[in-house]
Structure formats: C-alpha cells, structure tokens
Amino acid sequence: MNRTVLVTVHTGREAAVESARLVVGRLLDAGITVRVLDVEAGDLGCPDVETVPCDPAAAKDAEVMIVLGGDGSLLRSAEIARPTSTPLLGVNLGHVGFLAEAEVADLAAAVDSVVAGHYDVEERMTIDVMARLNGQVIADTWALNEASVEKCDRMLEVVAEIDGRPLSRWGCDGVICATPTGSTAYAFSAGGPVVWPEVEALLMVPISAHALFARPLVVSPRSTLAVEILPDTPGGVLWCDGRRRFDLPSGTRVEVRRGSSPVRLARLHGVESTGAPFTDRLVAKFELPVQGWRGRVRP
C-alpha cells in the first residue's frame, strides 16, 4: 500500500529547514511518498517530493502531517489537517511547544516511529465560534486553543452568558473562551486553570476585569458560552487561536460551543517525547521544582 506523509516547516529558520530535509530524506529512503507545501518547497529544495497548494486538500489521504516548528506552526497546520482528519505530529523547534510530540533531539527516532507505524492517535476537542450583529452572522469560525473577545482601544463592556442565562457584566480587556488544550496557552497567561487534555470541558476566563466576581470558569462541554458587547460602548475584536481576526462592532454577540470536528494528534511509542504524561510535560516546560519527590511507597 502506498503511504503518504505531508511535511511542513517554519522556513524562516535555517535549522528548521535542515531538520525538514532530514525528515524528507528519511521518509523517502523508507519508500514513503512525501508531500510539501508549494509555499515552502523552494526553501526546502528537496527533489522527489510532491508539491501541493497550501490548502486543506494538501492533507487528503495523507497518513500523518509532520510539523516542524513551535505551537504557532501546529495551529497553522491544524487549519490544513482538520477538514481531512489527518493526524498532526509536531516536532518542537520553538520555546514551549505544548502541542508538540517530540523535541528536535528525538527527530530521527520520531521519524522511524512513523515509518514503523508505532504511534497512536488522540483527538483534541475544538470549539465552534459564531458572532452575530442584529441577528446577522458576521463571523463563523473555529479554534483549537481559544477564541478571545478583546478590546481595540478602550475597555470593553460585556455581559457573559452560560447556557442562555446571564452570569455577570464586566468592564474588562477581554474574555477568553478556551478548550483544555488552550488552557496552557492564552488562558493560562490570563490566570486560568491548567486542565488536563483528556478532561472534556470549556473554559471562560475574563482578562483584567473590573468586577468583584471575575473568576475563571470551567463548565460542561455541552454548554454554550456567550459574550455580548453592550450597545453604545466601544467595539472589540475576535481572535481565534491568535490567527483569525474579526472586527466586532458594539452590540455583537459571540457564541462558543464544542466543535463539530476535533483535531487529531499523533502520539509516538517508545520515544522520549513531550507528549508522554501531561504532568511530566508541565514539569519540563515550566521547569517546576520537584526535588524531594519520593513517589508512592511500594509494598
């Protein structure tokens, strides 16, 4: 059976390009067809690869999409992979890299695991996001990490809603609606809780709210979150995963619910990867002190 792998890379870094060439060569040597995006092909300069346009069709029938870069590269690649349910395998070349499965030092072993088929696939919950103004849809999109309603110039005046019921009015810099995957991203920076990826939940985190009750909220994955920008107040902007931007006039209502399609991530077997226990990933990424830990007493 012919196997195809799509490889994408942050071409702005020479080290990343060299790593991508190693990946491509190793896959080709194993008899696997390799695709690269047309916008990256010139920088990679790899012969014997398929060059495809940078759109969701690029991932069609691909076994996996290997992404070399940071979390931003993975979020960009998720836009390509999600429509075809193609698993993403991230190799971290950035700083934190919570979404990545392997570090660059483990690159050869990670590729060998893909060649051998030694990986599982897990699904990450997404959110669907819709903005309406006077009943008319002005934005219809999705996010893997979060949707944030933010101020443009002056403080936003908003009312937060959960499952059709008003919760509180906030003067704030914004409101973040996040998935568990996004709990370690923007929501974390705004003071939200860390939620383990396998927990199914939605988060609402106000940003610098001038209110007595402005705590981060964790609600059911079946809930619908809404943020209404009050009329006669300054408008704002909607950001989804920090990539897709929509202007929000005053009076806009933004609704967030569980996404109709997940993002799939490949998890490797037998590689010292960042995707092993999530607790270990937190300790490594945030350099948390664990000295003195003795573990469970064994009988």
Side-chain angles (χ1 to χ4, degrees), residues 156-224:
L156 281 177
E157 289 287 342
V158 304
V159 173
E161 172 190 303
I162 308 292
D163 292 329
R165 302 302 305 159
L167 176 72
S168 186
R169 174 172 171 166
W170 295 320
C172 58
D173 286 351
V175 181
I176 301 168
C177 299
T179 66
T181 299
S183 72
T184 51
Y186 193 4
F188 176 83
S189 299
V194 174
V195 181
W196 264 238
E198 61 268 26
V199 175
E200 295 194 336
L202 294 172
L203 286 71
M204 178 179 280
V205 183
I207 306 171
S208 302
H210 290 236
L212 180 63
F213 181 84
R215 300 298 184 185
L217 307 173
V218 182
V219 303
S220 165
R222 297 178 296 277
S223 291
T224 298

Side-chain angles (χ1 to χ4, degrees), residues 56-165:
K60 185 178 181 181
D61 300 323
E63 178 181 329
V64 69
M65 182 175 180
I66 298 178
V67 183
L68 294 98
D71 282 345
S73 298
L74 262 161
L75 291 171
R76 173 177 65 98
S77 298
E79 297 174 2
I80 297 174
R82 182 179 183 244
T84 54
S85 298
T86 304
L88 292 164
L89 173 62
V91 179
N92 182 35
L93 304 179
H95 298 291
V96 180
F98 258 104
L99 291 171
E101 175 63 7
E103 298 294 331
V104 68
D106 305 314
L107 182 57
V111 177
D112 290 346
S113 291
V114 171
V115 170
H118 292 166
Y119 63 89
D120 297 318
V121 176
E122 71 176 36
E123 293 187 345
R124 291 292 183 93
M125 177 179 164
T126 60
I127 50 177
D128 287 336
V129 186
M130 184 172 291
R132 291 185 173 90
L133 179 63
N134 299 324
Q136 299 296 313
V137 175
I138 60 173
D140 187 1
T141 186
W142 69 283
L144 172 59
N145 273 353
E146 76 282 308
S148 59
V149 177
E150 303 178 31
K151 69 176 184 179
C152 288
D153 298 310
R154 293 159 45 202
M155 180 183 297
L156 281 177
E157 289 287 342
V158 304
V159 173
E161 172 190 303
I162 308 292
D163 292 329
R165 302 302 305 159

Side-chain angles (χ1 to χ4, degrees), residues 3-71:
R3 300 172 66 191
T4 300
V5 171
L6 173 61
V7 177
T8 183
V9 61
H10 188 315
T11 55
R13 303 175 182 175
E14 183 57 33
V17 172
E18 290 299 323
S19 296
R21 289 171 181 158
L22 184 151
V23 170
V24 170
R26 215 170 180 95
L27 292 171
L28 290 173
D29 289 345
I32 295 176
T33 299
V34 178
R35 289 180 193 158
V36 300
L37 301 177
D38 55 4
V39 294
E40 299 170 357
D43 291 311
L44 289 176
C46 295
D48 303 320
V49 298
E50 292 183 2
T51 301
V52 293
C54 184
D55 59 42
K60 185 178 181 181
D61 300 323
E63 178 181 329
V64 69
M65 182 175 180
I66 298 178
V67 183
L68 294 98
D71 282 345

